[in-house]
Amino acid sequence: MVFGPDVAALSGDGVELCGSPEQVRDRVSGLEDERHPRWTWWAAAGDGRALVAHGIRPQRCWDVAEAHRVLAGGWAAGADRAWAVAAGLDVEALPRPAGGDLFDLVTTDDAGDPDSAVRPDGYLRPEALEPTWLTGPERALSLARAALQTSSRQRELLAQGGPRPVGTATSESAAALLCIELELDGLPLDRSRAEELITAAAGERPRSEEHARQLRRERDAAVLAHAPGRESTDLRNPVQVRELLASVGVVVPDTRAWRLEPYRGVHPLVDALLAWRKAERIATTYGWTWLDTHVGPDDRLRGGWTACDGAAGRMTAQNGLHNLPTPLRPAVAAHPGHVLVRADLGQIEPRVLAAVSGDRAFAEATRAADLYAPVAQALGVERAVAKVAVLAAMYGQTSGAAGEALKDLQRTYPVAMAYLERAYAEGLAGRAVRTFGGRRVPMWQLPPGLPASAVGAATAARGRFARNAVIQGAAAELFKAWVATLRLAVRDLGAEVVLCLHDEVLLHVPEEAAGEVAHLVDEVLTASARRWTGSSAVQFVADTSVIARWSDAKA
DNA sequence: GATTTCACGTA
DNA sequence: CGTACGTGAAATCC
């Protein structure tokens, strides 16, 4: 489907239609009710949003942009690029949209049928990406056909990588649609509780600009009182703060919190500064302005969502949805008549490692509710040591106390460790890696002028990135497969997904459906994990609770 | 005005 | 020599 401002079109499966967006939307709605087809669109942010904004929430879709991101990696996924890759055309030679200069005027004489989205040379017309190009129904129809054609070529290309990448593309597509819903629905908030928490952390709501400045001065004064003679220091200027600290005998290379932590006892200024920083964070980033800007009159916090970041493919969110400080979390609360069902995946990354590497011994450890217990036993070390070693192996950490246990890990779980080493080596060499689900993760190339002395560190950083990407990326794939299925499974109960946080999901649920939704969360996880891994060898576990506020469950 | 650096929140 | 992300304030670049 293609939705423009004035025209829209539908093509495929014996249906071909173009007309006004209203007409096409009605038909989409009817078809969705009849047989919920897998709708194909260039990107959820365009056509998916056009439906969701009008109350149509399709079950299944194929998002050409997301499929392209799986296939090619990286973030760029415009229709022209996705079309070119699917068609096997050179993306380096992608025609550029007309800039309105003379050169463009001269070279547009071979443009072929002006109402076709495809040029005679096989590339998608770059101007067809602009909504303004959709001046008539023929053009919309042509663009819709092109989207459908792209999707079937993408399917073929993905299928060359085995059965999984096609599945990855469908769940990524669903995640992208969910992102639109998350953005429009928002996260339920208890406004008065939010106001209390902001007041406690950042002070009362400023009544004017002058009042705001005064409050700021008061906050600053509490710190500067510890440094007589240096009251003019700007606490927001790291250089000045460093000088301030030096004046009381605290000499540090930078003023980051973890660096200052050991000096808490040395001088009361340090303590005051660190407390000030926490308050300042809430005052500037999650304070009154944030509340007024991002929380609607319906007491919902809204921000943009993306289905995959540019690196390994985790979801991202804006406006604090992904980094709300813990002290503010009590403000996230179910609205009247509802509860929150919260679930987080326990020890997701090592479990994912067991699945993607196919290490049988490590998979055996996932049968335990606490994976580190059997690992510790196998290595003959304390649980804490086993945990640090496993995490160090996955993240490429070399400092710290993991050294000896890492050797034992190699010996006990050679298949899993080899999987990580392999990714590390690929990254080191600058070659792209693929996640278990088939997402290509491109590797950046080192800048040509890089001094020889810096090359080692730079390639090692790339190796660590690759090593982490195959784990983090695969975990993101499983998570999205889970949540995409959950989205549909709970829908008839009136429940909706309202937050996704890498390994954690929050659902807003009518009170009476709480028990059933909580049950479905676990059931769907087992089914999704089985489908994703292709077996039941690796167990995934969710910690699920029914709560009123986000903070009611342990973090 | 746009980009970079520092700092810090989350997983 | 653990990764990823988003945000704001100040400094820096153009």
Side-chain angles (χ1 to χ4, degrees), chain A residues 182-411:
Chain A
L182 288 166
E183 188 178 318
L184 292 175
D185 291 340
L187 178 68
L189 226 61
D190 174 348
R191 181 181 291 272
S192 57
R193 188 65 177 274
E195 289 173 342
E196 286 169 20
L197 292 166
I198 292 171
T199 304
E204 59 186 306
R205 182 189 277 275
R207 291 180 297 274
S208 65
E209 285 296 309
E210 177 49 41
H211 188 212
R213 277 192 293 274
Q214 184 198 328
L215 291 169
R216 243 166 75 134
R217 279 193 301 270
E218 285 169 13
R219 281 205 304 272
D220 297 0
V223 179
L224 296 169
H226 295 282
R230 289 187 167 263
E231 284 84 357
S232 64
T233 303
D234 179 359
L235 294 174
R236 293 158 192 83
N237 181 326
V239 175
Q240 290 189 32
V241 170
R242 190 165 164 259
E243 287 163 5
L244 175 70
L245 287 163
S247 78
V248 299
V250 176
V251 179
V252 282
D254 61 67
T255 73
R256 289 184 161 84
W258 65 268
R259 183 95 64 188
L260 295 178
E261 202 61 42
Y263 294 92
R264 270 188 190 277
V266 172
H267 194 282
L269 173 67
V270 177
D271 229 28
L273 177 67
L274 290 172
W276 176 89
R277 283 251 179 89
K278 284 231 180 288
E280 186 69 6
R281 166 65 45 182
I282 291 181
T284 54
T285 308
Y286 306 105
W288 298 106
T289 308
W290 169 81
L291 189 70
D292 297 342
T293 311
H294 304 303
V295 179
D298 57 355
D299 291 354
R300 296 250 181 171
L301 168 62
R302 288 186 176 78
W305 288 80
T306 62
C308 69
D309 58 37
R314 298 220 288 202
M315 293 174 80
T316 68
Q318 298 177 313
N319 300 344
L321 286 156
H322 265 185
N323 43 10
L324 201 65
T326 320
L328 288 182
R329 293 194 173 186
V332 176
H335 283 178
H338 290 72
V339 291
L340 297 175
V341 172
R342 172 193 177 278
D344 79 302
L345 301 178
Q347 305 168 337
I348 175 71
E349 292 190 334
R351 287 171 198 274
V352 159
L353 172 59
V356 302
S357 66
D359 188 310
R360 292 184 158 202
F362 205 46
E364 193 53 43
T366 68
R367 307 310 303 173
D370 174 21
L371 168 145
Y372 296 116
V375 172
Q377 198 175 17
L379 301 189
V381 297
E382 292 292 308
R383 180 188 181 278
V385 177
K387 181 176 175 176
V388 167
V390 169
L391 293 176
M394 285 189 301
Y395 301 156
Q397 186 182 24
T398 52
S399 61
E404 222 17 62
L406 267 171
K407 286 205 171 64
D408 292 338
L409 266 185
Q410 294 278 3
R411 192 167 37 72

